[in-house]
Each structure stands twice: as structure tokens, then as C-alpha cells.
Amino acid sequence: MEVGVAIASKVGEYLVKPTVNQVRHLFCFNTIVEELKEQEINLKLARENVNKDVEIAKNNTDKIKGDLEKWLTDANEILADVEGLKEETGVKKTCLNGWCRKAAKKTTIMLKLTDNGKFDGVGHHTTLPGIEFLKPNQFQIFGSSKSAIDDIIEALKNDKIYMVGLYGMGGAGKTTLAKEVGNRVKEIFNEVVMVTISQTPNFKNIQGQLASSLGLSLEEQGEEERARRLFKRLTETEKKILVILDDVWGKFDLKSILGIPFGDDNKNCKILLTTRRLQVCIDMGCQSRIPLNVLNDDEALALLKRHAGKGDASNLNPLAIKIAKECDGLPLALVAIGSA
Ligand SMILES: Nc1ncnc2c1ncn2[C@@H]1O[C@H](COP(=O)(O)OP(=O)(O)OP(=O)(O)O)[C@@H](O)[C@H]1O
Ligand SMILES: [Mg+2]
């Protein structure tokens, strides 16, 4: 009998011992995996913050600090290693081949990197939200504007064309159309910025507006230095940028006055300018010059009625027809009188 008990307890011991060991082992393994994952998340968050700072610094044309770049390389490397390590154990769920030792080592490195990832100096400067150029109901498509939009977009897609000029009478709808183009080319360009030049331009202000649209803070006071800073920002980027210069009245040098690269300086940067005068398109060197014609009688009447709150153009009031004719097909006049 005693022999039987002894045997049973020995058998029990053999059965239980490995199980206890396995449980302990699994517990240990799970803890190591959890710690690894936690530090991986922390490091990824830290990397995201650093990347944001780098993006801002680059927008500001700052040079990225050496230690920051090294930190990013290290973080990228270790995170890639951890990815491999996780794949290795995905199936086995054990500490075979020193897996746990390796995991613990990586966890420690990640913890240290996260701690060191708090760089000061590059503050979180917030950029302005992207410009919403036009609300959908603010733009009505007419024959003339449709062909102008199509021509402008086709020209902007052409590798050989850097500058497009849109010209037409005052009130013909150039500014409105340029904004509409800005809306439509967001897939072709990474950044679309628009500034108004006007008949009496204050170039220092315009430089400031251009810079803030690009998320660049201009600390320089001199106009020449400001232009150089803008030029640096617009050339040292892989991004495709469209600069819309609205309401240009006379020739000026894009590079030295506003820091806008032209042609070979950066082929990713293109310019759309609007002006009342064809001669300005020629003087500025626009390779493509696109006219915006006034509206024909039917289009003029449709715009007038729409702004008068009468969408139905079939019920033609003789007075409305006369007024529409008086407006010479100019949207500016039609919108103003229609609303009145
Ligand atoms: N396609 C359009 N659909 C609806 N409204 C339009 C359209 N085009 C122009 N308008 C109206 O006409 C007005 C004048 O247009 P816009 O300011 O674009 O003219 P412009 O050609 O830029 O004039 P300027 O030469 O004086 O700068 C705008 O306020 C807008 O309300
Ligand atoms: Mg205008």
C-alpha cells in the first residue's frame, strides 16, 4: 500500500513539476512581451513628436540638430528590430534561442531612447489651417470660366510651364476663378498659397502673408533677407507648390522681391498670376496666357437672376434682360445689382 502511495506521489510530482515550470515560464514570457510592447508604444509616440518638430523646423528652413537626427535614426532602427523580434516569437510563444534576453535588451534601449527624446529648442509652432478658397455655392460655372479653368489646369500640369497668367477686365471674375483653381488643384500640388499684390503693393506685408501661409515664421526685418528666407523655404522642399499672385499691375522680380523661385530654380514651384492687363502677363514672362471673357447674354441673365433669388430663368422679365445687358457681362456688376 505504502509503495503504491509513494509511486502515486512520485508520478504526481513528475506531472505537476513541469506544469508549474511551464506556467512560471509563460508568466515570465508574457511579462517580457508586455514590457516590450509598452516601450514600443512609448517610443513611437516620442518619435511622432520629434518628427512633427522636424517638419516644423524644415518648414522654417532651420537646420536639424545633429543629435536629433541621430536619435531618429536610432529610434527607427530599434523599432524595426522590435518588429522583427515580434514576428520571430509570434508562432512559438517561448523564450527559445535567447529571445527573452534579446527582448529585455531592446526594452531597455527603447526606454532610454524615449527618455532622451525630449528635445527642447524646436517648439510646437502651429501652422495656419489650409485655406478654404471658396464655398461651393460661391462659384457658378459659365462657358468662359469653364474653358479658362480647363486651360489653366492643363498648363499647370505641363512640365515645361512654370508661370500661367490669367487676364481679363476688372470684375470679370479673375480672383474668383483663381480661388476655384486653387481648390481644384489640391491633388496636383501639396501646397497652394495665394496673396494679393494690388496696384500699390506693400511687399513687406506680402512677404509676411506668403510666409505665414507656408508655416514659415519670418524673423528677418529687411525685405531682402525676408525674400532670401522665402526663397530657401520654397526651394529646399520636395513638395509641389502653387503660388497664386492675385491682382498684379506691373512687372516685379519674383525672386528678389518675394523669394519665389522661377523655372530652373525649382521646377516643383509654379505660379498663377491674375491681372487686368495682358501686357503684365508678357512682362512677367508667363509662358501660358489665358483670357477670361465676360459673360454672354444668357449667362449674364442667369447670374443676375440667381443673385436676385430667382433661379428660374424661364420666366424672363424684360426689365431683367435690359439690366443684364447694361452690366456688359461683368459678374461684378451682375452680382451687385442682382443682390440689390
Ligand atoms: N463664376 C462666378 N460665379 C459667381 N460669382 C462670380 C463669378 N465670377 C465672379 N463672380 C462675382 O463677381 C465679383 C467680382 O469677381 P472678381 O473679384 O473675381 O473679379 P476680378 O476679375 O478679380 O476683378 P478685379 O480685376 O477688380 O480684381 C465677385 O465678388 C463674385 O461675387
Ligand atoms: Mg480680382
Side-chain angles (χ1 to χ4, degrees), residues 272-287:
L272 167 64
L273 70 81
T274 86
T275 174
R276 292 188 182 178
R277 303 168 179 168
L278 170 62
Q279 191 57 43
V280 171
C281 297
I282 298 165
D283 293 346
M284 290 291 286
C286 295
Q287 294 129 309

Side-chain angles (χ1 to χ4, degrees), residues 138-140 142 169-176 247 276 303 307 331-332 335:
Q138 281 177 306
F139 188 73
Q140 215 171 330
F142 301 105
M169 282 173 69
K174 300 176 297 294
T175 303
T176 313
D247 204 18
R276 292 188 182 178
L303 186 62
H307 281 269
L332 176 71
V335 168

